[in-house]
Amino acid sequence: MAHEIHQACVDACNTCADACDHCAAACLQEPDIKMMARCIALDMDCAAICRMAAGYMARRSEFAKSLCQLCAEVCQACGDECAKHQQEHCQACAKACQQCADECRRMAN
C-alpha cells in the first residue's frame, strides 16, 4: 500500500532525473560551458538523488522520508539555478525540479 501512496513522488523523481540528464547534456553543447558549470553540476547531483529516492520509496525503505527531504533540497537548488538560464532545456528542468521538490516535501511530511 505504501508504494501506491508515494507513486506520485516516485514518478516525479524519475521525471526530474530524466530532465536533469537532458539538461546537463544540453548544457554541455552550449557555447559558454563555463557559464553553465553550476547548472551541470547540480543537474548531475539532482538526477542521482532523484533516482536514489525513487528506489528507496519503491523498496519501502525506512529511510525514504529522510532521503526525500534531502532530495527536495537538492531539487530546489537545481531548479533555482536552471531557472536563471533562458535555454528551453533549463526552463523545462526547472519546472521538473520544482514539481519533484513539492512531491518530495509532501512525501517527507
Side-chain angles (χ1 to χ4, degrees), residues 15 17 19 25 41 44 46 50 53-54 60-61 65 67 75 79 97-98 100 102 108:
T15 297
M44 292 188 301
C46 193
C50 284
R60 299 178 184 153
S61 170
K65 285 187 177 194
L67 186 59
C75 286
C97 286
Q98 187 59 58
C100 189
D102 292 345

Side-chain angles (χ1 to χ4, degrees), residues 12 23-24 29 32 42 58 60 77 84-85:
C23 187
Q29 301 303 312
D32 187 0
L42 285 170
R60 299 178 184 153
K84 295 176 185 177
H85 305 284

Side-chain angles (χ1 to χ4, degrees), residues 16-17 20 41-51 71 74-75 78 97:
C16 186
C20 287
L42 285 170
D43 283 338
M44 292 188 301
D45 286 349
C46 193
I49 199 164
C50 284
R51 286 194 175 92
C71 187
V74 175
C75 286
C78 187
C97 286

Side-chain angles (χ1 to χ4, degrees), residues 20-94:
C20 287
D21 282 342
H22 174 73
C23 187
C27 284
L28 288 170
Q29 301 303 312
E30 293 293 334
D32 187 0
I33 294 175
K34 191 170 186 170
M35 182 185 79
M36 306 304 287
R38 185 162 191 265
C39 188
I40 295 165
L42 285 170
D43 283 338
M44 292 188 301
D45 286 349
C46 193
I49 199 164
C50 284
R51 286 194 175 92
M52 190 183 325
Y56 274 50
M57 286 182 280
R59 292 188 300 276
R60 299 178 184 153
S61 170
E62 65 185 279
F63 300 105
K65 285 187 177 194
S66 297
L67 186 59
C68 283
Q69 187 65 42
L70 178 58
C71 187
E73 291 178 41
V74 175
C75 286
Q76 189 68 56
C78 187
D80 290 349
E81 178 63 26
C82 284
K84 295 176 185 177
H85 305 284
Q86 294 307 309
Q87 291 84 348
E88 186 177 323
H89 56 85
C90 287
Q91 292 298 310
C93 189

